[in-house]
Amino acid sequence: MLQKHLLLWLTLSSMLAGFWPNLFGATAFDPFLASASHIGWIVAAVMFCVGTLLPTEEVRNVLNRWPLIVGGTAVQYISMPFLAWAVATTFGMTGDLRVGTIMVGCVPGAMASNVLTMVARGNVSYSVGLTTSATLLSPLIVPIALRLTLGAQADAEFLTKSAVSLILQVVIPVLLGLFSQRLSILKQIADRISGHVANISILWVIAIVVAANRQAIQEFPVILIAGLLLINVGGYLAGQLGGRLLRLDSGMRRALMLEIGMQNAGVGASLAKGLFPDNPRVALPCGLFAFGCMTTGTLLAQFLRNRTAETEDALDTTERPIDSAPSLSTTDSTESVKEI
């Protein structure tokens, strides 16, 4: 129920965070604002759970099929920061909204793309590989992307803090979670609760962002929604085009589309909170993007599910690469990612 209706819970939890003072009074204890200072630890817990759920054989596939994984990751880290910068510049965004919008495009892809790839009958093995690669490379590539898109705003101290934050909150927890699978007791516990903990934690992170921007949400410009939607849809199109340039089959293209279009809003919000602790508005685009990419991603996955892979391949006459690593079918990979 939690995973199947994640968009519903995202909406309800964010509404609760937004209207908490109206429901319980302005002087009542606010659990969302009270936990805002711990958002980094919450994201680290999410990524640890993700690491415990990553199938080890899928991680090995990253090495076996590294040219396709690196190619897909390159498409993501080239297209999304550029799209975010182009939208922010074209729409004339300044200050907090500009920085927050660009950060949306610079963070790695979200784990939710793995589940939606399964729904879309795409190649889940490739999707997991892309997410793993983008996550582990984020401390190196994200600061570079921020420097190129933000310019002088991203000074050396800013870039160092962003890299350290990503290492501490993303890479180390994922690796610890992955290595914990070697202990059978921890593996059994993780299989039961990690998926639930990860989902609830990411809902809480977005709710914290909403609570910290209650007034700003009522005043934010409509142009921000249009800009974020354009980045989201542009990411899907970049995935489709990049997949064709890489000569991927339809299953891999579907995985790449969803991976690029769906950014890790939780990591983006946490990074914004850490870099701008006194300015919660910077994290607002990340929170809003979570709604957008979950909604459009779900609709796109359902559309692709009803469109047979054979039809897509018949329309594509480009030569496919020879992939020596075995790929999982949708059926075989269901158990691997049902909790992510």
Side-chain angles (χ1 to χ4, degrees), residues 8 24 95 172 183 189 200 222 225 237 239 266 273 277 298 302 324:
L8 172 63
F24 302 100
I172 291 179
L183 302 176
I189 297 175
I200 293 173
V222 177
I225 297 180
L237 295 176
K273 182 70 170 58
T298 301
Q302 292 294 342
S324 59

Side-chain angles (χ1 to χ4, degrees), residues 29-95:
F29 173 73
D30 192 327
F32 303 102
L33 293 182
S35 56
S37 60
H38 305 297
I39 191 171
W41 290 102
I42 298 173
V43 170
V46 172
M47 302 314 295
F48 175 80
C49 292
V50 166
T52 65
L53 295 172
L54 280 177
T56 54
E57 65 273 10
E58 300 293 351
V59 178
R60 295 192 191 99
N61 277 343
V62 174
L63 299 177
N64 294 334
R65 52 182 19 175
W66 68 266
L68 298 182
I69 298 292
V70 171
T73 303
V75 172
Q76 176 181 353
Y77 275 129
I78 291 173
S79 62
M80 289 305 283
F82 172 76
L83 279 171
W85 172 83
V87 167
T89 302
T90 303
F91 285 18
M93 295 183 184
T94 59

Side-chain angles (χ1 to χ4, degrees), residues 39-40 43 99-100 102-104 106-108 138-139 141-143 146 150 158-170 205 209 264-277 279 282-283 286:
I39 191 171
V43 170
V99 174
I102 288 177
M103 291 189 73
V104 165
C106 292
V107 294
S138 61
I141 299 181
V142 170
L146 290 173
L150 291 177
F158 180 96
L159 299 178
T160 301
K161 288 179 64 176
S162 63
V164 171
S165 296
L166 288 166
I167 291 173
L168 295 178
Q169 297 178 21
V170 178
V205 168
V209 173
N264 197 326
V267 170
S270 176
L271 187 61
K273 182 70 170 58
L275 295 174
F276 304 93
N279 194 350
V282 177
C286 296

Side-chain angles (χ1 to χ4, degrees), residues 7-312:
L7 181 60
L8 172 63
W9 305 128
L10 179 63
T11 303
L12 293 177
S13 61
S14 296
M15 289 181 63
L16 179 62
F19 292 102
W20 185 270
N22 304 83
L23 297 174
F24 302 100
T27 59
F29 173 73
D30 192 327
F32 303 102
L33 293 182
S35 56
S37 60
H38 305 297
I39 191 171
W41 290 102
I42 298 173
V43 170
V46 172
M47 302 314 295
F48 175 80
C49 292
V50 166
T52 65
L53 295 172
L54 280 177
T56 54
E57 65 273 10
E58 300 293 351
V59 178
R60 295 192 191 99
N61 277 343
V62 174
L63 299 177
N64 294 334
R65 52 182 19 175
W66 68 266
L68 298 182
I69 298 292
V70 171
T73 303
V75 172
Q76 176 181 353
Y77 275 129
I78 291 173
S79 62
M80 289 305 283
F82 172 76
L83 279 171
W85 172 83
V87 167
T89 302
T90 303
F91 285 18
M93 295 183 184
T94 59
D96 307 336
L97 295 184
R98 177 180 177 84
V99 174
T101 299
I102 288 177
M103 291 189 73
V104 165
C106 292
V107 294
M111 283 291 175
S113 63
N114 306 150
V115 178
L116 291 182
T117 296
M118 180 181 64
V119 174
R121 302 185 189 277
N123 190 315
V124 183
S125 174
Y126 187 55
S127 177
V128 173
L130 289 170
T131 306
T132 304
S133 172
T135 299
L136 296 180
L137 290 174
S138 61
L140 175 63
I141 299 181
V142 170
I144 296 175
L146 290 173
R147 175 62 179 174
L148 293 175
T149 51
L150 291 177
Q153 287 181 276
D155 55 20
E157 182 181 0
F158 180 96
L159 299 178
T160 301
K161 288 179 64 176
S162 63
V164 171
S165 296
L166 288 166
I167 291 173
L168 295 178
Q169 297 178 21
V170 178
V171 176
I172 291 179
V174 167
L175 293 177
L176 289 176
L178 186 62
F179 291 145
S180 71
Q181 295 185 36
R182 297 178 179 274
L183 302 176
S184 58
I185 297 179
L186 290 179
K187 183 68 169 66
Q188 293 174 7
I189 297 175
D191 288 342
R192 293 183 179 181
I193 69 171
S194 286
H196 306 303
V197 172
N199 285 321
I200 293 173
S201 297
I202 204 66
L203 292 177
W204 195 262
V205 168
I206 302 303
I208 290 174
V209 173
V210 172
N213 290 276
R214 288 176 181 133
Q215 187 64 32
I217 288 176
Q218 300 175 16
E219 302 172 355
F220 71 84
V222 177
I223 195 173
L224 177 60
I225 297 180
L228 294 176
L229 181 60
L230 189 58
I231 294 172
N232 182 213
V233 175
Y236 296 140
L237 295 176
Q240 178 65 214
L241 177 60
R244 292 185 179 278
L245 291 176
L246 293 173
R247 298 181 177 180
L248 303 179
D249 61 32
S250 60
M252 287 186 171
R253 286 203 305 271
R254 293 180 182 192
L256 187 59
M257 286 175 63
L258 291 166
E259 179 69 23
I260 294 179
M262 301 188 67
Q263 297 292 85
N264 197 326
V267 170
S270 176
L271 187 61
K273 182 70 170 58
L275 295 174
F276 304 93
D278 300 324
N279 194 350
R281 281 173 58 91
V282 177
L284 180 58
C286 296
L288 294 176
F289 192 82
F291 285 99
C293 71
M294 283 299 299
T295 303
T296 60
T298 301
L299 295 174
L300 178 61
Q302 292 294 342
F303 170 78
L304 293 175
R305 182 181 182 87
N306 296 324
R307 182 182 176 87
T308 63
E310 290 76 9
T311 301
E312 291 187 23

